[in-house]
Amino acid sequence: MANNSWIMVHRYFRLIVVLVFIAFVSITAKAQSAFKGLEPLFTTPQNYVVYHTDHPPVIDGNIDKPVWQQAAWSNEFVDIEGTSKPKPSFPTKVKMLWDDSCLYIAAQIIDPHVWATLKRHDATIFHDNDFELFVDPNNTGQPYFEVEVNPFNTIFDLLLCKPYRDGGRAIVNWDVESLRSAVKIQGTINNAADQDQGWTVEMAIPFKSISVGNANQFPHEGTLWRINFSRVEWDTKVVNGSYVKLKDSTGRYLPEHNWVWSPQGVINMHYPERWGYLQFSRQPVNSVTFNLPYADQKQYLWLIYYRQMQWFRQHNSYAASLHDLGIDESVSINKKLNTLKLETTTHQFMALITDTDSKATYTINQEGLTGIITSHPDE
């Protein structure tokens, strides 16, 4: 009889395990299906460990100087939408260093035909072929900074308090104070009769010039920024010895190519949550292993944000429930239960996800502003 009881208990225990496993698989499968159609927006961003130098480079456009030999090249740029798109026609890559005052950037831009037209500061530089920097020192996406440069070393720098999609407006009369930049042409600019190798860019961006608030924000060991780089490349032909951008049958310019370091998953650089990670270190070069700080909980917050944007475009109001968005209120992350909550009015929303283990609650609102509540909101 005792033996039979043990067998019944064992069978009951096995049944419970099976039911728990089925529930886990069901929750996981449903959670994965909620991301369907948005997969390109949830690929893992690139990362780069930038090492400190006591001998900063002289900014003259020459990136073959010995100081740059200690910095590793990034991966070559890919299409802005990701590796599923065709590989760029010409390679582009960057490397970085820092000291106690500046972030230093070097870029190599291979191009057999180097041309430019714009020489006025804050002109719309991406109407030429250009190299672009996007940086968010606070790792919040609000605010962030953009710097563009063409082969003439003409600069277009601007500040955005929030992305355009969330009602942000470019503050074009803002400048990166004390920015130093230089371009070196490997060939001859605007000479269609020869073939060039390309052009290189050097920049020194003072930390104090991109600090937010009254206090200067200088990086320290382990500081994380969000950063991305873009190259705009136009298709051209030679007319009367000059480069002319190609047009379609209606007279419109053909769309430019957008090649980036960290794929955005969408043809839009103004998704700062999609930028790569930049980690600062004073350790010996190549001694630091980057550890991705990407909180899985935040993926679900961005999922809610993207779904709400879709819903608003269709209904001119935000969804009132997670069910409307096809998202479950409970998700399994790293085999731990997390709960989602949505608070909505017609023109505003806040989504919350709580880690039932740590009780930390992460939040996002209709402007893509993320935050964290260190204790459970109901406590």
Side-chain angles (χ1 to χ4, degrees):
M1 184 69 177
N3 188 51
N4 289 339
S5 298
W6 183 88
I7 292 173
M8 292 297 295
V9 170
H10 180 66
R11 288 176 176 174
Y12 179 75
F13 176 76
R14 288 178 60 188
L15 178 62
I16 294 297
V17 170
V18 170
L19 292 175
V20 169
F21 176 76
I22 291 173
F24 171 76
V25 170
S26 177
I27 290 174
T28 302
K30 187 172 182 180
Q32 291 175 343
S33 68
F35 289 86
K36 188 174 181 180
L38 296 175
E39 292 88 351
L41 293 173
F42 289 96
T43 57
T44 302
Q46 293 283 347
N47 65 79
Y48 188 97
V49 177
V50 57
Y51 290 97
H52 188 274
T53 181
D54 294 323
H55 305 284
V58 174
I59 304 301
D60 59 8
N62 175 18
I63 63 173
D64 292 329
K65 294 185 286 286
V67 64
W68 280 118
Q69 304 310 309
Q70 64 184 302
W73 283 113
S74 70
N75 293 337
E76 288 189 1
F77 287 19
V78 298
D79 187 89
I80 191 171
E81 293 185 83
T83 55
S84 64
K85 298 296 181 178
K87 182 179 179 181
S89 304
F90 312 117
T92 313
K93 54 187 177 181
V94 298
K95 57 172 60 176
M96 288 170 275
L97 293 167
W98 68 292
D99 65 6
D100 293 342
S101 64
C102 294
L103 173 67
Y104 300 95
I105 297 166
Q108 183 183 77
I109 302 156
I110 303 300
D111 197 333
H113 301 289
V114 180
W115 63 272
T117 64
L118 301 170
K119 294 185 177 181
R120 179 177 57 83
H121 180 77
D122 280 346
T124 309
I125 298 301
F126 63 80
H127 288 169
D128 286 349
N129 289 347
D130 79 352
F131 172 77
E132 303 177 357
L133 157 71
F134 298 80
V135 60
D136 169 16
N138 287 335
N139 194 7
T140 59
Q142 299 184 15
Y144 61 88
F145 309 92
E146 178 181 352
V147 182
E148 302 178 6
V149 61
N150 70 1
F152 277 143
N153 193 32
T154 307
I155 296 294
F156 180 25
D157 47 1
L158 56 150
L159 161 68
L160 285 99
C161 294
K162 56 185 176 181
Y164 295 115
R165 67 186 180 197
D166 301 310
R169 295 292 182 268
I171 304 175
V172 176
N173 59 1
W174 172 89
D175 294 325
V176 182
E177 184 179 358
S178 301
L179 168 71
R180 287 174 285 148
S181 67
V183 167
K184 189 175 182 64
I185 308 297
Q186 290 77 56
T188 51
I189 190 170
N190 289 333
N191 184 356
D194 67 359
Q195 182 166 309
D196 309 307
Q197 295 180 11
W199 51 296
T200 51
V201 179
E202 271 188 306
M203 286 186 182
I205 303 195
F207 296 127
K208 66 180 182 180
S209 298
I210 54 174
S211 294
V212 178
N214 294 326
N216 291 329
Q217 297 170 297
F218 296 95
H220 51 78
E221 181 68 32
T223 293
L224 284 174
W225 286 11
R226 301 302 294 272
I227 196 167
N228 211 352
F229 302 93
S230 172
R231 171 182 176 177
V232 170
E233 187 79 10
W234 296 88
D235 291 323
T236 62
K237 63 180 179 180
V238 177
V239 177
N240 297 325
S242 299
Y243 295 106
V244 177
K245 291 190 286 188
L246 297 184
K247 297 181 179 180
D248 61 20
S249 59
T250 67
R252 295 177 178 270
Y253 289 120
L254 295 180
E256 75 278 13
H257 301 283
N258 295 278
W259 302 329
V260 304
W261 170 53
S262 191
Q264 294 286 109
V266 62
I267 307 175
N268 191 333
M269 288 302 298
H270 296 275
Y271 277 49
E273 72 276 10
R274 297 291 303 141
W275 298 347
Y277 288 94
L278 182 64
Q279 179 177 321
F280 290 82
S281 179
R282 292 179 177 269
Q283 300 302 312
V285 172
N286 298 326
S287 67
V288 175
T289 300
F290 180 84
N291 293 314
L292 185 69
Y294 198 79
D296 291 329
Q297 283 83 2
K298 289 187 179 180
Q299 291 196 48
Y300 284 92
L301 294 181
W302 284 110
L303 173 63
I304 295 172
Y305 171 87
Y306 295 141
R307 293 300 188 201
Q308 283 283 40
M309 294 304 103
Q310 292 175 332
W311 186 275
F312 193 89
R313 286 193 294 269
Q314 295 173 4
H315 304 279
N316 202 34
S317 64
Y318 291 114
S321 71
L322 292 170
H323 180 266
D324 290 337
L325 302 175
I327 300 172
D328 202 349
E329 294 180 354
S330 298
V331 294
S332 177
I333 299 175
N334 298 324
K335 298 182 179 181
K336 295 179 181 179
L337 185 65
N338 285 249
T339 57
L340 290 164
K341 185 179 179 181
L342 182 62
E343 300 172 353
T344 309
T345 67
T346 302
H347 299 289
Q348 292 180 320
F349 75 85
M350 175 170 283
L352 307 90
I353 183 169
T354 301
D355 182 341
T356 55
D357 185 32
S358 68
K359 300 298 183 182
T361 296
Y362 301 90
T363 66
I364 195 170
N365 69 5
Q366 73 283 348
E367 293 187 339
L369 182 62
T370 59
I372 182 171
I373 304 171
T374 55
S375 60
H376 194 283
D378 294 332
E379 292 181 348

